[in-house]
Amino acid sequence: MESTEIEEILASCELFKGLGHGEIRNIAKICRLNTYDKGALVYQQGDFGENIYIIAKGQVILERTVDMGSREGRVIIATLGKGRVFGCWSTLLGEPHIMMLRIFCQTPATILVLNGAELRASMISDARFGFNVMEKLCFLLRERIQSAYGAMEKM
């Protein structure tokens, strides 16, 4: 995938939509591209997190294992497709984080990977850019919390 394609994916994703071309170009420089087969794990619940992921192609499932006393249960929080973002948000705050979900591919997938610490450095160096990203992040997190509550109500 060429850098212009990566920039297009970034510009249309839910976290970076509406940012300027120069900002998108700078984010593209810190991305790498990973491909996954159907059923492949992107990461496991309990892993150390340091990246943010953007789906370029395919679909992933966000799943949480929960302790239900005498047994474990699995709850699907959401299914995400092209342009959707997931991963370790706390790296944008400079905090270490243990992943709270298991993410696996429902279909073959191509996913952009951004290191949270590198993105954080860009956000700190340009306060307006940083504010715009954090504002969009707040809306994303609100949506994910609502999805998690919805999934728990089905248990």
PDB file of all heavy atoms in Angstrom, residues 36-42 59 61 102-109:
ATOM      1  N   TYR A  36      -3.796  -9.602   8.303  1.00  0.00           N
ATOM      2  CA  TYR A  36      -4.213 -10.701   9.169  1.00  0.00           C
ATOM      3  C   TYR A  36      -5.168 -11.617   8.407  1.00  0.00           C
ATOM      4  O   TYR A  36      -5.995 -11.148   7.626  1.00  0.00           O
ATOM      5  CB  TYR A  36      -4.953 -10.163  10.405  1.00  0.00           C
ATOM      6  CG  TYR A  36      -4.130  -9.246  11.264  1.00  0.00           C
ATOM      7  CD1 TYR A  36      -4.071  -7.884  11.001  1.00  0.00           C
ATOM      8  CD2 TYR A  36      -3.422  -9.730  12.358  1.00  0.00           C
ATOM      9  CE1 TYR A  36      -3.325  -7.031  11.799  1.00  0.00           C
ATOM     10  CE2 TYR A  36      -2.678  -8.880  13.163  1.00  0.00           C
ATOM     11  CZ  TYR A  36      -2.632  -7.538  12.871  1.00  0.00           C
ATOM     12  OH  TYR A  36      -1.899  -6.691  13.663  1.00  0.00           O
ATOM     13  N   ASP A  37      -5.081 -12.900   8.683  1.00  0.00           N
ATOM     14  CA  ASP A  37      -6.017 -13.867   8.131  1.00  0.00           C
ATOM     15  C   ASP A  37      -7.291 -13.889   8.969  1.00  0.00           C
ATOM     16  O   ASP A  37      -7.295 -13.447  10.123  1.00  0.00           O
ATOM     17  CB  ASP A  37      -5.405 -15.274   8.140  1.00  0.00           C
ATOM     18  CG  ASP A  37      -4.216 -15.408   7.205  1.00  0.00           C
ATOM     19  OD1 ASP A  37      -4.214 -14.738   6.156  1.00  0.00           O
ATOM     20  OD2 ASP A  37      -3.289 -16.172   7.541  1.00  0.00           O
ATOM     21  N   LYS A  38      -8.340 -14.447   8.416  1.00  0.00           N
ATOM     22  CA  LYS A  38      -9.577 -14.630   9.167  1.00  0.00           C
ATOM     23  C   LYS A  38      -9.274 -15.449  10.427  1.00  0.00           C
ATOM     24  O   LYS A  38      -8.570 -16.451  10.375  1.00  0.00           O
ATOM     25  CB  LYS A  38     -10.604 -15.366   8.303  1.00  0.00           C
ATOM     26  CG  LYS A  38     -11.908 -15.614   9.010  1.00  0.00           C
ATOM     27  CD  LYS A  38     -12.893 -16.349   8.111  1.00  0.00           C
ATOM     28  CE  LYS A  38     -14.180 -16.593   8.894  1.00  0.00           C
ATOM     29  NZ  LYS A  38     -15.207 -17.234   8.042  1.00  0.00           N
ATOM     30  N   GLY A  39      -9.764 -15.000  11.567  1.00  0.00           N
ATOM     31  CA  GLY A  39      -9.560 -15.691  12.840  1.00  0.00           C
ATOM     32  C   GLY A  39      -8.287 -15.312  13.570  1.00  0.00           C
ATOM     33  O   GLY A  39      -8.114 -15.666  14.738  1.00  0.00           O
ATOM     34  N   ALA A  40      -7.400 -14.563  12.925  1.00  0.00           N
ATOM     35  CA  ALA A  40      -6.126 -14.193  13.552  1.00  0.00           C
ATOM     36  C   ALA A  40      -6.350 -13.190  14.678  1.00  0.00           C
ATOM     37  O   ALA A  40      -7.220 -12.324  14.603  1.00  0.00           O
ATOM     38  CB  ALA A  40      -5.180 -13.601  12.516  1.00  0.00           C
ATOM     39  N   LEU A  41      -5.536 -13.321  15.732  1.00  0.00           N
ATOM     40  CA  LEU A  41      -5.576 -12.365  16.841  1.00  0.00           C
ATOM     41  C   LEU A  41      -4.768 -11.126  16.490  1.00  0.00           C
ATOM     42  O   LEU A  41      -3.647 -11.225  16.001  1.00  0.00           O
ATOM     43  CB  LEU A  41      -4.955 -12.981  18.090  1.00  0.00           C
ATOM     44  CG  LEU A  41      -5.812 -13.913  18.919  1.00  0.00           C
ATOM     45  CD1 LEU A  41      -4.987 -14.507  20.054  1.00  0.00           C
ATOM     46  CD2 LEU A  41      -7.035 -13.212  19.461  1.00  0.00           C
ATOM     47  N   VAL A  42      -5.332  -9.963  16.769  1.00  0.00           N
ATOM     48  CA  VAL A  42      -4.579  -8.712  16.672  1.00  0.00           C
ATOM     49  C   VAL A  42      -3.862  -8.512  18.006  1.00  0.00           C
ATOM     50  O   VAL A  42      -2.682  -8.199  18.054  1.00  0.00           O
ATOM     51  CB  VAL A  42      -5.493  -7.521  16.340  1.00  0.00           C
ATOM     52  CG1 VAL A  42      -4.697  -6.220  16.284  1.00  0.00           C
ATOM     53  CG2 VAL A  42      -6.222  -7.760  15.017  1.00  0.00           C
ATOM     54  N   GLN A  59     -12.923  -6.824   8.822  1.00  0.00           N
ATOM     55  CA  GLN A  59     -13.670  -6.601  10.060  1.00  0.00           C
ATOM     56  C   GLN A  59     -12.996  -7.318  11.215  1.00  0.00           C
ATOM     57  O   GLN A  59     -12.445  -8.410  11.045  1.00  0.00           O
ATOM     58  CB  GLN A  59     -15.092  -7.124   9.939  1.00  0.00           C
ATOM     59  CG  GLN A  59     -15.962  -6.308   9.023  1.00  0.00           C
ATOM     60  CD  GLN A  59     -17.403  -6.749   9.092  1.00  0.00           C
ATOM     61  OE1 GLN A  59     -17.691  -7.931   9.161  1.00  0.00           O
ATOM     62  NE2 GLN A  59     -18.308  -5.791   9.062  1.00  0.00           N
ATOM     63  N   ILE A  61     -13.497  -8.265  15.604  1.00  0.00           N
ATOM     64  CA  ILE A  61     -14.436  -8.399  16.709  1.00  0.00           C
ATOM     65  C   ILE A  61     -13.716  -8.026  17.994  1.00  0.00           C
ATOM     66  O   ILE A  61     -12.601  -8.481  18.253  1.00  0.00           O
ATOM     67  CB  ILE A  61     -14.987  -9.834  16.789  1.00  0.00           C
ATOM     68  CG1 ILE A  61     -15.839 -10.107  15.550  1.00  0.00           C
ATOM     69  CG2 ILE A  61     -15.790 -10.048  18.071  1.00  0.00           C
ATOM     70  CD1 ILE A  61     -16.393 -11.499  15.444  1.00  0.00           C
ATOM     71  N   ARG A 102      -9.980  -8.762  23.802  1.00  0.00           N
ATOM     72  CA  ARG A 102      -9.346  -9.627  22.814  1.00  0.00           C
ATOM     73  C   ARG A 102      -9.886  -9.168  21.464  1.00  0.00           C
ATOM     74  O   ARG A 102     -11.093  -9.010  21.288  1.00  0.00           O
ATOM     75  CB  ARG A 102      -9.762 -11.074  23.087  1.00  0.00           C
ATOM     76  CG  ARG A 102      -9.330 -12.075  22.071  1.00  0.00           C
ATOM     77  CD  ARG A 102      -9.842 -13.473  22.514  1.00  0.00           C
ATOM     78  NE  ARG A 102      -9.465 -14.473  21.560  1.00  0.00           N
ATOM     79  CZ  ARG A 102     -10.310 -15.055  20.704  1.00  0.00           C
ATOM     80  NH1 ARG A 102     -11.590 -14.756  20.712  1.00  0.00           N
ATOM     81  NH2 ARG A 102      -9.879 -15.966  19.853  1.00  0.00           N
ATOM     82  N   ILE A 103      -8.982  -8.928  20.513  1.00  0.00           N
ATOM     83  CA  ILE A 103      -9.391  -8.484  19.184  1.00  0.00           C
ATOM     84  C   ILE A 103      -8.958  -9.552  18.187  1.00  0.00           C
ATOM     85  O   ILE A 103      -7.789  -9.910  18.119  1.00  0.00           O
ATOM     86  CB  ILE A 103      -8.722  -7.144  18.795  1.00  0.00           C
ATOM     87  CG1 ILE A 103      -8.869  -6.097  19.890  1.00  0.00           C
ATOM     88  CG2 ILE A 103      -9.247  -6.660  17.450  1.00  0.00           C
ATOM     89  CD1 ILE A 103     -10.252  -5.651  20.196  1.00  0.00           C
ATOM     90  N   PHE A 104      -9.937 -10.050  17.420  1.00  0.00           N
ATOM     91  CA  PHE A 104      -9.598 -11.015  16.380  1.00  0.00           C
ATOM     92  C   PHE A 104     -10.348 -10.674  15.100  1.00  0.00           C
ATOM     93  O   PHE A 104     -11.341  -9.946  15.117  1.00  0.00           O
ATOM     94  CB  PHE A 104      -9.868 -12.456  16.836  1.00  0.00           C
ATOM     95  CG  PHE A 104     -11.307 -12.766  17.121  1.00  0.00           C
ATOM     96  CD1 PHE A 104     -12.111 -13.349  16.153  1.00  0.00           C
ATOM     97  CD2 PHE A 104     -11.858 -12.493  18.361  1.00  0.00           C
ATOM     98  CE1 PHE A 104     -13.441 -13.642  16.416  1.00  0.00           C
ATOM     99  CE2 PHE A 104     -13.181 -12.789  18.639  1.00  0.00           C
ATOM    100  CZ  PHE A 104     -13.982 -13.358  17.660  1.00  0.00           C
ATOM    101  N   CYS A 105      -9.836 -11.185  13.994  1.00  0.00           N
ATOM    102  CA  CYS A 105     -10.360 -10.831  12.682  1.00  0.00           C
ATOM    103  C   CYS A 105     -11.529 -11.729  12.292  1.00  0.00           C
ATOM    104  O   CYS A 105     -11.383 -12.952  12.247  1.00  0.00           O
ATOM    105  CB  CYS A 105      -9.256 -10.918  11.637  1.00  0.00           C
ATOM    106  SG  CYS A 105      -7.917  -9.754  11.962  1.00  0.00           S
ATOM    107  N   GLN A 106     -12.652 -11.108  12.005  1.00  0.00           N
ATOM    108  CA  GLN A 106     -13.824 -11.840  11.526  1.00  0.00           C
ATOM    109  C   GLN A 106     -13.639 -12.197  10.054  1.00  0.00           C
ATOM    110  O   GLN A 106     -14.171 -13.201   9.579  1.00  0.00           O
ATOM    111  CB  GLN A 106     -15.075 -10.989  11.716  1.00  0.00           C
ATOM    112  CG  GLN A 106     -16.360 -11.703  11.348  1.00  0.00           C
ATOM    113  CD  GLN A 106     -17.571 -10.868  11.653  1.00  0.00           C
ATOM    114  OE1 GLN A 106     -17.562  -9.655  11.476  1.00  0.00           O
ATOM    115  NE2 GLN A 106     -18.620 -11.517  12.116  1.00  0.00           N
ATOM    116  N   THR A 107     -12.897 -11.371   9.334  1.00  0.00           N
ATOM    117  CA  THR A 107     -12.566 -11.584   7.927  1.00  0.00           C
ATOM    118  C   THR A 107     -11.073 -11.301   7.775  1.00  0.00           C
ATOM    119  O   THR A 107     -10.459 -10.739   8.686  1.00  0.00           O
ATOM    120  CB  THR A 107     -13.343 -10.605   7.021  1.00  0.00           C
ATOM    121  OG1 THR A 107     -12.908  -9.272   7.297  1.00  0.00           O
ATOM    122  CG2 THR A 107     -14.854 -10.714   7.232  1.00  0.00           C
ATOM    123  N   PRO A 108     -10.472 -11.648   6.639  1.00  0.00           N
ATOM    124  CA  PRO A 108      -9.100 -11.182   6.426  1.00  0.00           C
ATOM    125  C   PRO A 108      -9.075  -9.656   6.561  1.00  0.00           C
ATOM    126  O   PRO A 108     -10.031  -8.975   6.165  1.00  0.00           O
ATOM    127  CB  PRO A 108      -8.793 -11.621   4.986  1.00  0.00           C
ATOM    128  CG  PRO A 108      -9.715 -12.779   4.746  1.00  0.00           C
ATOM    129  CD  PRO A 108     -10.968 -12.458   5.520  1.00  0.00           C
ATOM    130  N   ALA A 109      -8.012  -9.121   7.137  1.00  0.00           N
ATOM    131  CA  ALA A 109      -7.990  -7.682   7.432  1.00  0.00           C
ATOM    132  C   ALA A 109      -6.623  -7.076   7.157  1.00  0.00           C
ATOM    133  O   ALA A 109      -5.590  -7.740   7.302  1.00  0.00           O
ATOM    134  CB  ALA A 109      -8.367  -7.447   8.890  1.00  0.00           C
TER     135      ALA A 109
END
